[in-house]
Amino acid sequence: WARAVRGLLLDVSGVLYDSGGDGGVPIAGSMLALPRIKASGLKLRFCTNETQATREKFVKKLQGMGFDISVADVTAPAPAACRILKERSLRPHLLVHNDLVPEFAEIDKTNPNCVVIGDAAENFTYANLNEAFRVLTGLEKPVLISLGRGRYYKETDGLKLDVGAYMKALEYACDVQAEVVGKPAKMFFESALAEMGVPPQEAIMIGDDIVNDVGGAQRCGMRALQVRTGKYRPCDENHPHVKPDAYVNNLAEAVDVILQQL
């Protein structure tokens, strides 16, 4: 699985660091793995479903931990969603984290004709979910755009419900199918590959989410590894539908094997 690689796509939360109320902590070995990738000449792209902050704020946090990363290196759902909203003249009602709202500053949000949902964390109250429900049920052709489909993620104090759980609630209540922007959407991975200029058969995705990272990447023709960090649980290795090309204990171990093949 490590042969003929020109580009790496890395998940961030659960691969580089574990998030948390205190800002999070780097995962062992990840800090040293990034410089080795860059020195190797491999193309590198960070693919994240992070929707609790703007890319600028998210990257600044990672830089503060010591990671060499820039906004231009990051493929994230919110900018992709904004492109879709503009192309289709959609005006969103936002059910997102307060810190993500600036990403939609240039988007018309008057008289909403769709709902955009992200990982809103504490904003996932009954009142806010009910307001999104009312917007959708008031539309002749309801449009629900979700910035990801994750079931849960890991923070330093344990697992947390992700946007997918709330997306499913609105799908059920409103009898609508959400349009997912972010992993595991094929368009999201294809965008990251295009930004790297690497075909899928020459790229490897490394993530901690068996469905969204591994399964999504494999459906695009990439090889995909699951790290045993972040949200990984031993039961992932018995998933009925998704089988990673390999399991690795962490990012550093994956990089060791890949660089040996160059």
Side-chain angles (χ1 to χ4, degrees):
W1 59 262
R3 295 183 181 276
V5 179
R6 288 181 49 215
L8 296 180
L9 287 74
L10 303 184
D11 183 23
V12 180
S13 179
V15 175
L16 295 186
Y17 83 114
D18 282 326
S19 60
D22 55 356
V25 295
I27 291 172
S30 61
M31 197 80 71
L32 297 177
L34 282 191
R36 296 182 64 204
I37 295 171
K38 294 188 175 185
S40 72
L42 289 170
K43 298 289 185 67
L44 178 61
R45 195 82 193 156
F46 300 95
C47 291
T48 179
N49 272 3
E50 169 64 44
T51 57
Q52 285 196 13
T54 62
R55 282 182 302 166
E56 287 77 9
K57 187 173 181 179
F58 177 59
V59 166
K60 187 175 181 180
K61 178 175 72 172
L62 291 169
Q63 290 172 340
M65 293 182 191
F67 290 108
D68 180 10
I69 181 174
S70 68
V71 173
D73 299 327
V74 177
T75 301
C82 287
R83 288 194 295 271
I84 290 170
L85 294 170
K86 289 179 179 179
E87 289 168 2
R88 294 165 56 182
S89 299
L90 292 171
R91 302 178 304 277
H93 169 81
L94 298 177
L95 179 51
V96 300
H97 196 282
N98 290 341
D99 288 344
L100 190 70
V101 172
E103 289 273 22
F104 297 88
E106 297 181 4
I107 301 295
D108 182 7
K109 295 179 279 292
T110 59
N111 190 25
N113 57 3
C114 73
V115 168
V116 172
I117 183 173
D119 181 11
E122 285 74 17
N123 281 348
F124 278 135
T125 63
Y126 174 81
N128 288 343
L129 280 164
N130 198 53
E131 186 177 2
F133 162 76
R134 287 178 171 176
V135 170
L136 288 169
T137 54
L139 297 171
E140 183 178 350
K141 295 182 178 179
V143 175
L144 174 61
I145 296 174
S146 185
L147 306 181
R149 200 178 67 189
R151 294 176 297 165
Y152 55 86
Y153 57 94
K154 183 186 177 186
E155 290 198 339
T156 51
D157 62 347
L159 298 177
K160 302 288 181 72
L161 277 175
D162 204 350
V163 61
Y166 303 95
M167 177 199 83
K168 287 293 184 182
L170 288 175
E171 282 187 331
Y172 176 70
C174 303
D175 194 22
V176 63
Q177 183 75 40
E179 301 176 32
V180 178
V181 180
K183 298 176 291 185
K186 187 176 182 181
M187 181 179 66
F188 186 79
F189 287 106
E190 289 175 341
S191 176
L193 288 167
E195 287 161 348
M196 289 198 303
V198 174
Q201 63 271 21
E202 296 180 1
I204 291 179
M205 174 72 199
I206 302 175
D208 67 327
D209 189 313
I210 185 70
V211 174
N212 293 321
D213 294 332
V214 175
Q218 288 178 332
R219 284 194 296 274
C220 285
M222 283 185 274
R223 286 159 282 177
L225 312 182
Q226 186 178 19
V227 291
R228 294 188 176 103
T229 57
K231 69 164 66 173
Y232 163 84
R233 295 190 295 169
C235 63
D236 291 343
E237 301 198 21
N238 298 313
H239 195 278
H241 307 299
V242 183
K243 305 297 179 187
D245 290 88
Y247 292 94
V248 289
N249 288 321
N250 51 40
L251 176 61
E253 182 180 303
V255 171
D256 282 342
V257 178
I258 291 167
L259 296 188
Q260 287 172 11
Q261 299 294 327
L262 294 182

